[in-house]
Amino acid sequence: MKDRQRRVRADFLANRERILRTAAQLFGERGVDLPLDEIAVAAGVGSATLHRHFSGRVELVHSVLDAEAGRLATRAVELSSHGHPEQALRVWLLELVQFSTSFRGLAVLLAANDADTTLENRHHALTDACRLLLTSAQAAKRIRATIDASDLLKLAHGIAVASAGSPDVAGRLLDIVTDGLRVPPTTRSGH
């Protein structure tokens, strides 16, 4: 009996993860307004299975956002171990910008519904991830000590809005920002 319960639980979790991965991909490709039945079909599950996991579109979107915030937090830890803190921070910020621009229709959907109760948790996870990389770059004296993680997140959001989903524009704007974050080269007096 316990083996069957474990298999059922494992199948339940596997279906949920498959739905989340598929939804994230399809939201990125087509926006958050696509029919939930299409997500179920693409995930290889029935509509009833999708609805057992998620009460509706808003809950599915929030779950995808939570999963993506968790992925970005994990990614920050991975990047922090590679020895190039300034580069790690830039790579992570670009991934954050790309994530922020990936779901067309998200702002409208969230604005039309009640406040997001998981927003604070997501914000803390992303702030902590940014702070990890920023602190490392500051300790290496590559980024000015006066820079704050919450300011960087606001800049990344601004870049996401300004780039309108164009990776090239996002990259250029991020280069401008990261140039401004660097510790200025010391100048010798008298020269």
Side-chain angles (χ1 to χ4, degrees), residues 33-110:
D33 294 331
L34 75 140
L36 295 181
D37 289 344
E38 288 185 34
I39 295 171
V41 168
V45 300
S47 181
T49 299
L50 185 143
H51 288 285
R52 265 194 301 277
H53 290 278
F54 307 100
S55 63
R57 179 178 317 282
V58 173
E59 185 181 345
L60 177 58
V61 167
H62 285 310
S63 295
V64 167
L65 293 174
D66 288 342
E68 289 298 305
R71 183 191 64 75
L72 283 166
T74 300
R75 182 75 170 128
V77 172
E78 292 170 2
L79 288 168
S80 71
S81 66
H82 288 13
H84 300 287
E86 181 184 1
Q87 182 181 3
L89 179 62
R90 186 196 182 283
V91 166
W92 187 85
L93 286 170
L94 187 57
E95 289 181 20
L96 175 65
V97 167
Q98 290 168 341
F99 161 67
S100 297
T101 61
S102 62
F103 302 142
R104 290 182 308 280
L106 179 62
V108 171
L109 175 71
L110 295 179

Side-chain angles (χ1 to χ4, degrees), residues 123-140:
H123 177 73
H124 287 304
L126 293 175
T127 301
D128 290 346
C130 184
R131 189 175 293 120
L132 170 71
L133 294 168
L134 176 61
T135 302
S136 179
Q138 288 170 327

